[in-house]
Amino acid sequence: MNNTDRSLLWTNNAAASGRIDWKLLDRLVHDPDEAQASALSERRYREMVGAYQRFRGRTGK
């Protein structure tokens, strides 16, 4: 199992068991002073937001 697989397994398990603070995570993703401020480029930020939205969709949150 590679690191990406381990990360996906951990995040899916964390979501399923209620260990994710969705309010905090949403703020970190969308607040202009957080992820957007530290993104390498606007394109990379949009990719991260898309991945976050897909993750939320898979978890039903």
Side-chain angles (χ1 to χ4, degrees):
M1 180 179 290
N2 63 36
N3 287 339
T4 300
D5 292 336
R6 283 187 192 96
S7 293
L8 287 171
L9 181 61
W10 184 90
T11 53
N12 288 335
N13 287 340
S17 64
R19 294 182 310 213
I20 294 180
D21 182 339
W22 290 104
K23 185 176 178 179
L24 173 61
L25 187 56
D26 195 64
R27 183 179 66 80
L28 294 172
V29 169
H30 294 290
D31 188 309
D33 293 328
E34 297 293 346
Q36 190 172 8
S38 63
L40 298 175
S41 69
E42 183 62 27
R43 181 183 62 82
R44 294 299 299 257
Y45 174 71
R46 286 192 312 267
E47 289 173 354
M48 187 270 307
V49 170
Y52 171 67
Q53 291 172 338
R54 287 188 300 279
F55 177 63
R56 285 203 65 152
R58 282 196 323 271
T59 60
K61 299 294 178 184

